[in-house]
Amino acid sequence: MALTLAAARRAVAAERCECVTECKAFRHFRAAVARGDTGGGVGPTTAVPAVDVGRGATATRGLPGTGAATREATETSLVRTYRQRVMADGTQTDESIAEHVSAELGPDLAAVVCTGSLTPQHRQALLDRVDLALDARASFVAVLDREDASLEAVETACQQVRAELRRARAWETAPTSAGFDATFDAALAAWDRLDDLAAVLDAAADDRQATLASHRRSLTTVDADVTEYLYEGRPGLAAIASVGRDLDTGRRVVTRTVGRADDTQPPGW
C-alpha cells in the first residue's frame, strides 16, 4: 500500500527534527573542542582508551573494570561530551563510541577524541571536521524543507483536481429527462474540463520530478535516493497517478457516451 501524503510529510518532519537535534549536539561538541576541554583525570593509575580504528575496536589499559563508574572516571571530558551530547541512546561502550566518532568525523580523529590528546593541530582538524558534519546536515535540512514544500504542493493540486473532477463528472448522474442531446452536450463539455484538469496534473507531476532531480543534485554523495531513504517509494507521484486514474475513468465515460451518439446516427450523418 502506497504511503499517503500526510504520512510522508510526517516522516519528513520527523527526519528534520532528528537532523536539527544532531546539529545542536555537534555545535555543543564543537564548543567543547574550541575550549580545549580535554581533562578527565588521565594519569599513571587511570585507564586510557586505546583506539584501533582500523579494526573498529577499543581496548582499555590500566585499572580493570568496564562499568559506567569506571568509564566516567577514566574517559576524557572530550569523549564524555561526545557520548552525552552526540550519542543519545545511553548504551555506549568504548568500542561503539570510537566507531561512531570514526563514522562521523573520520578514523584519523577517533583516537584524538577518545584519548583527549588535543594538540593545536588536532583541535583545528576537529573543528574543521565538525563544521563539515554541520554543513552536511544543514544541506539535508534544506532538502527536507524542499521535499515538504513539494509534497504540500502535490497535496494541494490533488485536492483541487479531485474537487473539480467531482463537479466535472456530475453530468453522469444528472436526470436524463432533457433527452440524449442534452446528455451529449454535457459529455462534450465535461471532456473539455477533464482536459484542463489533466493539464493541472501534468504540471504537478513535472514540478515533482523537478524537485526529485534537485534532490539528486543537492546530495551527490548520497548513494540512496532521498525519497527511497525516507519512504521507500514515491508518495508524491503515486498520489498524482491515483488522481489521474480517476480522471481517466471520467474520460472513458465520455467516450462511451459520444460513441453511443455515433451508433444512433444514420449512415452519412
Side-chain angles (χ1 to χ4, degrees), residues 177-207:
S177 57
F180 183 77
D181 288 344
T183 301
F184 181 82
D185 291 342
L188 291 182
W191 183 269
D192 291 339
R193 185 58 185 139
L194 294 177
D195 273 349
D196 293 339
L197 295 178
V200 173
L201 275 186
D202 288 344
D206 289 344
D207 289 345

Side-chain angles (χ1 to χ4, degrees), residues 50-225:
V51 182
D52 184 347
V53 295
R55 294 194 301 271
T58 61
T60 302
R61 300 188 302 271
L63 296 177
T66 59
T70 300
R71 180 176 62 192
E72 289 290 344
T74 61
E75 68 186 3
T76 67
S77 62
L78 193 62
V79 75
R80 187 183 306 121
T81 300
Y82 191 92
R83 174 174 59 80
Q84 293 175 346
R85 295 290 181 169
V86 181
M87 302 177 70
D89 62 14
T91 60
Q92 303 87 0
T93 63
D94 289 341
E95 181 176 350
S96 68
I97 295 172
E99 290 174 346
H100 196 283
V101 178
S102 180
E104 290 287 354
L105 304 178
D108 56 325
L109 295 178
V112 173
V113 174
C114 291
T115 62
S117 55
L118 197 61
T119 65
Q121 293 79 9
H122 288 157
R123 179 186 291 109
Q124 190 57 53
L126 266 177
L127 291 174
D128 292 343
R129 208 69 60 84
V130 171
D131 285 342
L132 287 176
L134 286 169
D135 288 344
R137 282 164 172 80
S139 295
F140 193 50
V141 167
V143 168
L144 293 173
D145 288 342
R146 187 164 60 243
E147 173 69 2
D148 184 65
S150 176
L151 291 177
E152 183 180 21
V154 169
E155 189 173 36
T156 299
C158 288
Q159 289 173 348
Q160 291 176 345
V161 171
R162 282 195 186 279
E164 290 296 323
L165 183 57
R166 285 193 295 269
R167 286 189 281 271
R169 296 187 64 187
W171 70 272
E172 298 173 21
T173 56
T176 58
S177 57
F180 183 77
D181 288 344
T183 301
F184 181 82
D185 291 342
L188 291 182
W191 183 269
D192 291 339
R193 185 58 185 139
L194 294 177
D195 273 349
D196 293 339
L197 295 178
V200 173
L201 275 186
D202 288 344
D206 289 344
D207 289 345
R208 180 61 180 160
Q209 292 283 19
T211 296
L212 296 177
S214 178
H215 290 345
R216 290 189 290 271
R217 290 193 299 271
S218 298
L219 299 174
T220 55
T221 59
V222 177
D223 294 333
D225 184 89

Side-chain angles (χ1 to χ4, degrees), residues 15-40:
E15 187 70 23
R16 189 187 192 283
C17 182
E18 181 177 345
C19 200
V20 169
T21 299
E22 290 174 356
C23 285
K24 292 179 181 178
F26 270 110
R27 282 195 289 269
H28 189 99
F29 178 71
R30 190 189 190 285
V33 173
R35 289 193 305 267
D37 292 350
T38 60

